Amino acid sequence: TLGFNEAISYRFIDAKHDEIFDIVPNLTDDNLDEEFVSIKDPIIDGATRMRQSLISGLLDAVRVNFNHQNKNVRLFELGKVFAKTSTEDGLPLEKELLTIVLSGKEAFEQKALASKPLDFYDLKGAVDVSLDAIKLPNLEYAPKDSRHLQSGQSAEVSFNGNPVGTLGKLDSKVASKYKFKQDVFVAEIDLQTLLENAEKPAL
């Protein structure tokens, strides 16, 4: 598991997260005026949206770790996100995503080795290893700015020329909202689309 722990966060989130995080491509319907799935009677006070991203939940988990003085954090979550559609049945679109977050320093078994701050390339390596496990070749990375990522330290992930997610350093303005005092790196990938295009086992 590369030292990562799995996180499980709520599917319902506060509307204050609207427009903070870029979402994976092809989740929302451009023909609709409203892209969010809203809850009329939320179970959790203020949590009126069904999430379009797993990032906010993972960042909450990072904040809990930091508050408990755990400064070296590696978390991932596999979970569904939701968006409104124009289908006749009125059911929201659901997609399974993989989201990874890391922060802090690399811990070496040999204590004589100096610890190394985790960075963009550690995050990219974690994504590569995770997706290689489901035999997905030809993943491409290209520099691209993202709403929630630091300009110049972010990239778009593509599969066969089609964008499927983003990765990079969390933007300083977003980090300040969570009161983070150290760098945090986050990736979010449309796992469902990748699995649908994964190599099929030979019969």
Side-chain angles (χ1 to χ4, degrees):
T1 58
L2 301 177
F4 281 80
N5 292 309
E6 183 173 9
I8 300 175
S9 56
Y10 292 113
R11 294 187 177 191
F12 309 113
I13 62 173
D14 197 299
K16 69 182 181 182
H17 296 299
D18 292 358
E19 312 301 331
I20 292 180
F21 306 105
D22 270 348
I23 59 176
V24 295
N26 303 314
L27 177 64
T28 57
D29 189 336
D30 294 334
N31 297 318
L32 296 177
D33 294 331
E34 175 60 58
E35 64 183 40
F36 298 102
V37 179
S38 298
I39 309 300
K40 292 182 179 179
D41 298 306
I43 300 173
I44 305 168
D45 187 39
T48 59
R49 303 285 199 219
M50 295 193 75
R51 64 189 182 186
Q52 290 191 326
S53 168
L54 307 182
I55 296 175
S56 64
L58 274 180
L59 294 183
D60 286 340
V62 170
R63 179 166 53 191
V64 169
N65 274 270
F66 286 174
N67 289 343
H68 286 83
Q69 303 307 310
N70 180 17
K71 304 300 183 183
N72 301 323
V73 181
R74 296 185 186 209
L75 298 172
F76 76 94
E77 183 169 2
L78 297 168
K80 289 184 178 180
V81 294
F82 308 87
K84 271 194 172 182
T85 64
S86 54
T87 56
E88 292 183 3
D89 58 20
L91 295 175
L93 174 67
E94 301 181 13
K95 277 199 171 187
E96 189 85 13
L97 304 188
L98 166 65
T99 304
I100 296 173
V101 63
L102 54 81
S103 183
K105 295 182 178 181
E106 177 76 56
F108 296 106
E109 291 185 6
Q110 297 181 19
K111 297 187 182 296
L113 297 175
S115 58
K116 177 186 78 71
L118 296 170
D119 59 21
F120 176 94
Y121 296 100
D122 294 299
L123 178 66
K124 179 180 177 294
V127 172
D128 284 337
V129 171
S130 299
L131 299 182
D132 185 59
I134 53 176
K135 302 185 185 304
L136 288 171
N138 303 320
L139 286 177
E140 302 141 13
Y141 298 87
K144 186 175 181 179
D145 286 347
S146 180
R147 185 184 298 162
H148 60 279
L149 299 176
Q150 192 72 32
S151 179
Q153 297 192 53
S154 60
E156 182 177 72
V157 184
S158 297
F159 177 69
N160 288 340
N162 299 309
V164 292
T166 58
L167 79 164
K169 179 182 173 182
L170 190 67
D171 180 76
S172 58
K173 291 180 180 179
V174 179
S176 68
K177 291 179 184 293
Y178 287 86
K179 299 182 180 180
F180 293 159
K181 296 181 180 180
Q182 64 186 55
D183 293 343
V184 174
F185 299 86
V186 61
E188 185 153 78
I189 309 293
D190 180 355
L191 183 63
Q192 182 170 320
T193 294
L194 294 180
L195 288 172
E196 289 170 355
N197 290 277
E199 291 180 5
K200 303 296 188 295
L203 297 178

